[in-house]
Amino acid sequence: MSNTSLINNIKIENLQCIRDDRVLFNDLNFSLSTGELLQVEGHNGSGKTSLLRILCGLTLPTEGFVYWNNEDIQKVQEEYWADLAYIGHHPGIKGELTPLENLAIARSLSKQPINIELNNALDQVGLYGFEDVPTHTLSAGQQRRVALARLLVSKTALWILDEPFTALDKTAIKMLENWLEKHAKQGGMAILTSHHSINCNRISSLQIGNW
């Protein structure tokens, strides 16, 4: 997990998103700094996933800007992506590979890899004994744990997580809440969507959507 004394901030200015001729959100403004967590809330179809993809720089807003440490993310992509960990609504793992192989690839692609034993990372997410089985044979909750284990193998300041609690049991939900708290205390920040009521002291909420 991230452990940095740097003061980072992400700022969203006058953001608008239009999909299929429908305005999902308009004139959206907010900022987040080191040590803060933000839960994005809204109805299904309100644009939560679209917002997270814009924040990651994967899609462009119709209008507005996203700034990382006062720089437009489109102008500092390499630096920004080095500081970013994104886990989408889908796990983003390869089913034919084992959990160990998936984590090895994730760490090799990281700009700031953490030197942690991959077996240890999987043990921390409750997958001891499942290291070498094809990931597609795991349950949905176990596959989600493999995806979340990527947070343990890369040092990143900003986590952007789309419905990370999906398919998790009570033990894993508590695990992730503890991770979020620890990440914030160590100088990180996170923006996430969830239908789950998140038990974290440092979290605030943002409501989006025009209906």
Side-chain angles (χ1 to χ4, degrees), residues 167-202:
L168 295 183
D169 59 20
K170 291 182 179 179
T171 300
I173 287 172
K174 183 62 178 175
M175 173 197 74
L176 181 53
E177 288 174 339
N178 289 339
W179 285 10
L180 287 165
E181 285 273 13
K182 183 177 180 181
H183 182 59
K185 287 179 181 178
Q186 291 181 338
M189 63 182 80
I191 301 173
L192 65 155
T193 65
S194 180
H195 295 292
H196 169 72
S197 180
I198 303 171
N199 184 23
C200 289
N201 295 325
R202 296 168 175 259

Side-chain angles (χ1 to χ4, degrees), residues 7-72:
I7 303 299
N8 294 299
N9 68 82
I10 184 169
K11 181 179 180 182
I12 284 69
E13 187 175 280
N14 302 323
L15 215 60
Q16 181 190 70
C17 180
I18 298 176
R19 292 288 182 270
D20 300 323
D21 297 323
R22 184 166 67 89
V23 178
L24 298 181
F25 50 82
N26 186 48
D27 196 27
L28 186 64
N29 296 272
F30 68 87
S31 63
L32 199 71
S33 297
T34 291
E36 296 178 338
L37 308 171
L38 180 69
Q39 180 178 1
V40 180
E41 299 179 302
H43 298 290
N44 289 337
S46 61
K48 300 187 296 295
T49 293
S50 294
L51 173 59
L52 295 194
R53 290 183 61 82
I54 289 171
L55 297 182
C56 289
L58 299 175
T59 57
L60 294 175
T62 312
E63 293 182 3
F65 301 92
V66 179
Y67 298 100
W68 177 247
N69 296 334
N70 302 314
E71 298 283 351
D72 187 334

Side-chain angles (χ1 to χ4, degrees), residues 14-146:
N14 302 323
L15 215 60
Q16 181 190 70
C17 180
I18 298 176
R19 292 288 182 270
D20 300 323
D21 297 323
R22 184 166 67 89
V23 178
L24 298 181
F25 50 82
N26 186 48
D27 196 27
L28 186 64
N29 296 272
F30 68 87
S31 63
L32 199 71
S33 297
T34 291
E36 296 178 338
L37 308 171
L38 180 69
Q39 180 178 1
V40 180
E41 299 179 302
H43 298 290
N44 289 337
S46 61
K48 300 187 296 295
T49 293
S50 294
L51 173 59
L52 295 194
R53 290 183 61 82
I54 289 171
L55 297 182
C56 289
L58 299 175
T59 57
L60 294 175
T62 312
E63 293 182 3
F65 301 92
V66 179
Y67 298 100
W68 177 247
N69 296 334
N70 302 314
E71 298 283 351
D72 187 334
I73 64 170
Q74 297 300 322
K75 296 180 180 179
V76 290
Q77 280 189 349
E78 185 173 347
E79 174 188 342
Y80 179 56
W81 286 341
D83 282 330
L84 171 67
Y86 171 61
I87 298 179
H89 186 62
H90 298 289
I93 53 181
K94 293 186 178 294
E96 67 274 16
L97 301 182
T98 68
L100 273 177
E101 290 168 337
N102 272 286
L103 276 194
I105 291 173
R107 185 163 64 182
S108 68
L109 293 174
S110 171
K111 300 287 186 179
Q112 303 180 76
I114 293 176
N115 185 25
I116 182 176
E117 290 289 338
L118 297 183
N119 281 307
N120 182 21
L122 290 172
D123 188 23
Q124 288 189 47
V125 297
L127 289 178
Y128 177 80
F130 294 92
E131 300 91 342
D132 296 315
V133 301
T135 305
H136 71 81
T137 65
L138 301 178
S139 69
Q142 289 172 323
Q143 291 185 31
R144 175 64 57 178
R145 289 174 187 235
V146 175

